[in-house]
Amino acid sequence: MTPTPGSVAPTGGWRSARVAAVDRPGPAAVRLRLDVADRVSHLPGQHYVVRLTAPDGYTASRSYSVASAPGDPLVELYVERLVDGEVSGYLADVLEPGDELEVRGPVGGWFVWDGTTPALAVGGGSGVVPLVSMLRHARDTGRPELLCLVGAARTAASLPYAEEMLDGCTLVALSQEDSPAGRPAGRLRAADLAPLVDGRDAGFVCGSAGFAETASQALVAAGMPADRVRVERFGPSG
Ligand SMILES: Cc1cc2nc3c(=O)[nH]c(=O)nc-3n(C[C@H](O)[C@H](O)[C@H](O)COP(=O)(O)OP(=O)(O)OC[C@H]3O[C@@H](n4cnc5c(N)ncnc54)[C@H](O)[C@@H]3O)c2cc1C
């Protein structure tokens, strides 16, 4: 089906998803392209729950944000492989094209961007994934100026989708090396965000609990009103 962006879709029940493509951009990550049966459209920022079932019936479920834009016929997930990670390890190491997964979604009604208002999105590591969906949606709809994306990581190699943050209103902040655009190495600060806040109606912050805390504080210090900042934390409870 061709999904229609622009509304918060109902979550629905478990659906099967065929793995259409698997791309491993590095030893610690996998990019999955899923063909979801009876798919309902997502809004940028939403996520899916992936459920694995072992032969003995044991199940494990984890949340993964959608990286693709609503207009993409496939659902793209980017999974960072954690050491001893029960679900991320399987997805990153074992999954192959043609495999089937159980998924539920799209999920989430708060951390979403409808693509109509100017926003500033700040992500740390794999926290950029839902923000990349926002970036792609803004570009697909011919309104790239509406979404400004800041991606933070230790190195360019550890920042998912860094190659999509080379033009438009994007900023790459690397703590351990100079960014490709010339920003000196160093942690993300309010001074990085201050030039980007003006005219932005909303702020989105996503990443680990620690990153979310410091980045949302930096966003407010840079001038974004606290009640306009929406935060998503990728924690162990996923
Ligand atoms: C709304 C939401 C969206 C998410 N989107 C993404 C996404 O797009 N890409 C992605 O890679 N992950 C995402 N996550 C995190 C994901 O849901 C899992 O928590 C992660 O993949 C670890 O699961 P696991 O089974 O591999 O690890 P587990 O077996 O559950 O844990 C292994 C070890 O890692 C620790 N741990 C678990 N989760 C995390 C974490 N997130 N960060 C640091 N340490 C952790 C545990 O405490 C444990 O020590 C999201 C989480 C939420 C809540």
Side-chain angles (χ1 to χ4, degrees):
M1 72 178 273
T2 303
T4 309
S7 62
V8 176
T11 297
W14 292 102
R15 294 180 166 81
S16 71
R18 187 182 58 82
V19 179
V22 176
D23 167 38
R24 296 188 169 87
V30 67
R31 199 158 27 191
L32 303 172
R33 303 261 304 158
L34 305 178
D35 191 357
V36 178
D38 300 323
R39 177 185 159 207
V40 272
S41 180
H42 71 277
L43 282 172
Q46 289 189 300
H47 63 275
Y48 273 79
V49 181
V50 174
R51 179 166 73 180
L52 304 181
T53 304
D56 66 0
Y58 169 78
T59 62
S61 304
R62 299 289 185 274
S63 299
Y64 294 101
S65 299
V66 182
S68 42
D72 191 324
L74 298 177
V75 169
E76 184 172 315
L77 308 180
Y78 183 105
V79 179
E80 189 182 352
R81 184 189 190 293
L82 297 185
V83 176
D84 298 329
E86 190 176 24
V87 173
S88 65
Y90 177 86
L91 299 177
D93 296 347
V94 180
L95 219 56
E96 294 297 343
D99 288 348
E100 296 276 339
L101 281 175
E102 269 188 307
V103 301
R104 186 169 62 80
V107 181
W110 167 250
F111 194 82
V112 294
W113 181 61
D114 69 3
T116 63
T117 53
L120 174 56
V122 184
S126 56
V128 301
V129 174
L131 315 181
V132 167
S133 177
M134 299 179 187
L135 183 72
R136 289 171 164 181
H137 184 51
R139 290 174 174 169
D140 282 1
T141 54
R143 302 293 308 276
E145 75 283 359
L146 284 182
L147 200 279
C148 196
L149 173 55
V150 178
R154 292 194 177 96
T155 63
S158 63
L159 180 63
Y161 300 100
E163 70 282 2
E164 295 193 31
M165 300 178 208
L166 295 175
D167 57 9
C169 186
T170 56
L171 172 73
V172 171
L174 305 173
S175 61
Q176 294 182 357
E177 61 189 34
D178 295 352
S179 76
R183 178 190 179 277
R187 285 181 180 275
L188 183 70
R189 296 168 299 130
D192 292 306
L193 303 177
L196 307 175
V197 166
D198 197 31
R200 305 274 154 194
D201 290 349
F204 293 89
V205 174
C206 186
S208 66
F211 177 85
E213 181 70 20
T214 54
S216 52
Q217 285 175 4
L219 195 50
V220 171
M224 179 70 74
D227 62 358
R228 295 196 193 166
V229 178
R230 300 183 181 202
V231 180
E232 181 103 287
R233 294 171 182 82
F234 285 5
S237 62

